[in-house]
Each structure stands twice: as structure tokens, then as C-alpha cells.
Amino acid sequence: QVQLVESGGGLVQAGGSLTLSCTASGSVLGLNNMAYVMTWHRQEPGKQRELVASITSGGRTNYADFVKGRFTISTDNAKNTVYLQMNSLKPEDTAVYYCNGRFAWAGANDYWGQGTQVTVSS
């Protein structure tokens, strides 16, 4: 029903910045017209997925401790897009980053993107 597509990953040197985008399509009629929680997660090879940041349609944001002060989550509701601005990147930030959407209209269902690779060189 909903497709989420991440983009913006790539290779960056430690201390650099990168901005990830996640765009929703399909059944989404516009993030500006619905209640939602959008989240970014990341997963390193051999490790469990971990929550990075979240944002609600009410504007509340939350961040994992390991990214506080460095990452910023935001949305452009008119574009059905959520962003993750990543600054002061560290090699340990290297992971596949996924976005997830939970929408009031979708009930218990949530939706995942395919992921985008972020690699931070030392």
C-alpha cells in the first residue's frame, strides 16, 4: 500500500555530513493530511537494527543518544519526504539506514524502505 524509498547514502569521510531522504508513495495521500510517526533506523552487518530518530505529525522528535547533537530528523510533508541530516559523522555510523512509517489510517501495519548504505571512512 505504501512504498518508502530512501536515498542519499554514500561514502563520506569522518567528520563530514550527509543527508538522507525517504519519500513515501502509493496509498499516501499526503503527510500533511494524516497522523504519522516516521522513524530512521540503522543496521550494521551482524548487528540488530537500532532506532536512530523519530518524528511525529505533531512535530515531536526524538533521537538515540549516540546521535544527539549530530543528527536532525525533519519532514517536508508536501513532498511526502522525511530527512535525516547527519553531521559530524563517525566511522561507527556506518550502516544501512532504513526509514519506517506508521500511519493512523493503516492501523497496525507499518512500512519499511529498502535501505540506503552509509559508509564513513576513518
Side-chain angles (χ1 to χ4, degrees), residues 3-7 20-24 31 38-40 79-84 98-101 113:
Q3 295 81 46
L4 301 177
V5 178
E6 301 96 336
S7 63
L20 307 182
S21 299
C22 174
T23 299
L31 294 179
M38 302 295 298
T39 52
W40 284 97
K79 295 182 178 179
N80 291 340
T81 299
V82 59
Y83 302 96
L84 185 67
Y98 300 89
C99 67
N100 176 274

Short mmCIF file of all heavy atoms in Angstrom, two decimals, residues 3-7 20-24 31 38-40 79-84 98-101 113:
data_model
loop_
_atom_site.label_atom_id
_atom_site.label_comp_id
_atom_site.label_asym_id
_atom_site.label_seq_id
_atom_site.Cartn_x
_atom_site.Cartn_y
_atom_site.Cartn_z
N GLN A 3 4.90 2.64 -0.32
CA GLN A 3 6.29 2.39 -0.65
C GLN A 3 7.14 3.52 -0.09
O GLN A 3 6.80 4.69 -0.26
CB GLN A 3 6.50 2.29 -2.16
CG GLN A 3 5.81 1.10 -2.81
CD GLN A 3 4.35 1.37 -3.05
OE1 GLN A 3 3.97 2.42 -3.56
NE2 GLN A 3 3.51 0.40 -2.70
N LEU A 4 8.20 3.14 0.59
CA LEU A 4 9.15 4.10 1.11
C LEU A 4 10.49 3.85 0.43
O LEU A 4 10.96 2.71 0.39
CB LEU A 4 9.32 3.96 2.63
CG LEU A 4 8.05 4.13 3.47
CD1 LEU A 4 8.37 3.87 4.94
CD2 LEU A 4 7.48 5.53 3.30
N VAL A 5 11.07 4.89 -0.09
CA VAL A 5 12.32 4.77 -0.81
C VAL A 5 13.32 5.74 -0.22
O VAL A 5 13.09 6.95 -0.23
CB VAL A 5 12.14 5.05 -2.31
CG1 VAL A 5 13.48 4.96 -3.04
CG2 VAL A 5 11.15 4.06 -2.92
N GLU A 6 14.42 5.19 0.28
CA GLU A 6 15.49 6.00 0.83
C GLU A 6 16.49 6.35 -0.26
O GLU A 6 16.71 5.58 -1.20
CB GLU A 6 16.22 5.27 1.96
CG GLU A 6 15.35 4.85 3.13
CD GLU A 6 14.89 3.42 3.02
OE1 GLU A 6 14.84 2.88 1.89
OE2 GLU A 6 14.59 2.82 4.07
N SER A 7 17.11 7.48 -0.09
CA SER A 7 18.18 7.89 -0.97
C SER A 7 19.12 8.80 -0.20
O SER A 7 18.81 9.24 0.90
CB SER A 7 17.65 8.60 -2.21
OG SER A 7 16.98 9.80 -1.86
N LEU A 20 20.03 12.10 4.29
CA LEU A 20 19.24 11.02 3.74
C LEU A 20 17.81 11.49 3.53
O LEU A 20 17.29 12.31 4.30
CB LEU A 20 19.23 9.81 4.67
CG LEU A 20 20.59 9.28 5.11
CD1 LEU A 20 20.39 8.04 5.99
CD2 LEU A 20 21.47 8.96 3.92
N SER A 21 17.18 10.96 2.50
CA SER A 21 15.78 11.26 2.22
C SER A 21 14.99 9.97 2.15
O SER A 21 15.50 8.93 1.72
CB SER A 21 15.64 11.99 0.88
OG SER A 21 16.33 13.21 0.89
N CYS A 22 13.76 10.03 2.57
CA CYS A 22 12.84 8.92 2.46
C CYS A 22 11.52 9.46 1.95
O CYS A 22 10.88 10.27 2.62
CB CYS A 22 12.65 8.24 3.82
SG CYS A 22 11.40 6.94 3.85
N THR A 23 11.14 9.01 0.78
CA THR A 23 9.94 9.51 0.14
C THR A 23 8.87 8.42 0.10
O THR A 23 9.15 7.29 -0.31
CB THR A 23 10.24 10.00 -1.28
OG1 THR A 23 11.18 11.07 -1.22
CG2 THR A 23 8.97 10.50 -1.96
N ALA A 24 7.69 8.77 0.52
CA ALA A 24 6.56 7.85 0.55
C ALA A 24 5.70 8.03 -0.68
O ALA A 24 5.46 9.15 -1.15
CB ALA A 24 5.72 8.07 1.80
N LEU A 31 1.45 13.58 3.60
CA LEU A 31 1.76 13.54 5.03
C LEU A 31 1.14 14.71 5.78
O LEU A 31 0.93 14.63 6.99
CB LEU A 31 3.27 13.52 5.25
CG LEU A 31 4.00 12.26 4.77
CD1 LEU A 31 5.50 12.40 5.04
CD2 LEU A 31 3.46 11.02 5.44
N MET A 38 7.23 8.80 11.71
CA MET A 38 8.28 8.40 10.79
C MET A 38 9.55 8.23 11.59
O MET A 38 9.88 9.05 12.45
CB MET A 38 8.49 9.44 9.70
CG MET A 38 7.25 9.74 8.86
SD MET A 38 6.67 8.32 7.89
CE MET A 38 8.08 8.04 6.82
N THR A 39 10.27 7.16 11.29
CA THR A 39 11.48 6.86 12.03
C THR A 39 12.60 6.47 11.09
O THR A 39 12.37 5.93 10.00
CB THR A 39 11.26 5.73 13.05
OG1 THR A 39 10.68 4.60 12.41
CG2 THR A 39 10.34 6.19 14.18
N TRP A 40 13.80 6.73 11.53
CA TRP A 40 15.00 6.24 10.88
C TRP A 40 15.66 5.21 11.78
O TRP A 40 15.76 5.41 13.00
CB TRP A 40 15.99 7.36 10.59
CG TRP A 40 15.63 8.23 9.44
CD1 TRP A 40 15.01 9.43 9.46
CD2 TRP A 40 15.91 7.95 8.05
NE1 TRP A 40 14.86 9.93 8.20
CE2 TRP A 40 15.41 9.04 7.31
CE3 TRP A 40 16.53 6.90 7.38
CZ2 TRP A 40 15.51 9.11 5.92
CZ3 TRP A 40 16.63 6.96 6.00
CH2 TRP A 40 16.12 8.05 5.29
N LYS A 79 5.99 17.13 0.22
CA LYS A 79 6.74 16.23 -0.66
C LYS A 79 6.71 14.79 -0.19
O LYS A 79 7.36 13.93 -0.80
CB LYS A 79 8.19 16.70 -0.77
CG LYS A 79 8.35 18.05 -1.44
CD LYS A 79 9.82 18.42 -1.55
CE LYS A 79 10.00 19.75 -2.26
NZ LYS A 79 11.43 20.13 -2.36
N ASN A 80 5.97 14.50 0.88
CA ASN A 80 5.89 13.15 1.45
C ASN A 80 7.28 12.60 1.75
O ASN A 80 7.57 11.43 1.50
CB ASN A 80 5.14 12.21 0.51
CG ASN A 80 3.67 12.53 0.41
OD1 ASN A 80 3.10 13.19 1.27
ND2 ASN A 80 3.04 12.04 -0.65
N THR A 81 8.11 13.43 2.30
CA THR A 81 9.50 13.08 2.49
C THR A 81 9.95 13.37 3.91
O THR A 81 9.61 14.41 4.47
CB THR A 81 10.39 13.84 1.50
OG1 THR A 81 10.01 13.49 0.16
CG2 THR A 81 11.86 13.50 1.69
N VAL A 82 10.71 12.44 4.46
CA VAL A 82 11.37 12.64 5.73
C VAL A 82 12.87 12.63 5.48
O VAL A 82 13.37 11.87 4.64
CB VAL A 82 10.96 11.56 6.76
CG1 VAL A 82 11.28 10.16 6.26
CG2 VAL A 82 11.60 11.83 8.11
N TYR A 83 13.58 13.48 6.20
CA TYR A 83 15.01 13.64 6.03
C TYR A 83 15.74 13.27 7.31
O TYR A 83 15.21 13.38 8.41
CB TYR A 83 15.36 15.08 5.68
CG TYR A 83 14.68 15.60 4.44
CD1 TYR A 83 13.51 16.33 4.52
CD2 TYR A 83 15.23 15.35 3.18
CE1 TYR A 83 12.88 16.80 3.38
CE2 TYR A 83 14.61 15.82 2.04
CZ TYR A 83 13.44 16.55 2.15
OH TYR A 83 12.83 17.02 1.01
N LEU A 84 16.96 12.87 7.13
CA LEU A 84 17.87 12.70 8.25
C LEU A 84 19.16 13.42 7.90
O LEU A 84 19.93 12.95 7.06
CB LEU A 84 18.14 11.23 8.55
CG LEU A 84 18.99 10.97 9.79
CD1 LEU A 84 18.24 11.38 11.06
CD2 LEU A 84 19.39 9.50 9.87
N TYR A 98 17.48 2.76 7.26
CA TYR A 98 16.14 2.46 6.82
C TYR A 98 15.16 3.47 7.38
O TYR A 98 15.28 3.88 8.54
CB TYR A 98 15.68 1.08 7.28
CG TYR A 98 16.53 -0.08 6.81
CD1 TYR A 98 17.62 -0.51 7.54
CD2 TYR A 98 16.21 -0.76 5.64
CE1 TYR A 98 18.39 -1.58 7.12
CE2 TYR A 98 16.96 -1.83 5.22
CZ TYR A 98 18.06 -2.24 5.95
OH TYR A 98 18.81 -3.30 5.53
N CYS A 99 14.17 3.83 6.60
CA CYS A 99 13.08 4.60 7.15
C CYS A 99 11.86 3.71 7.33
O CYS A 99 11.70 2.69 6.65
CB CYS A 99 12.73 5.82 6.29
SG CYS A 99 12.04 5.47 4.67
N ASN A 100 11.04 4.09 8.28
CA ASN A 100 9.83 3.36 8.61
C ASN A 100 8.70 4.35 8.81
O ASN A 100 8.91 5.42 9.38
CB ASN A 100 10.03 2.53 9.88
CG ASN A 100 8.77 1.83 10.32
OD1 ASN A 100 7.95 2.40 11.05
ND2 ASN A 100 8.60 0.59 9.89
N GLY A 101 7.53 3.98 8.34
CA GLY A 101 6.37 4.82 8.52
C GLY A 101 5.23 4.08 9.16
O GLY A 101 4.93 2.94 8.79
N GLY A 113 11.37 1.08 4.10
CA GLY A 113 12.10 1.28 2.87
C GLY A 113 13.13 0.20 2.66
O GLY A 113 13.33 -0.69 3.50
#
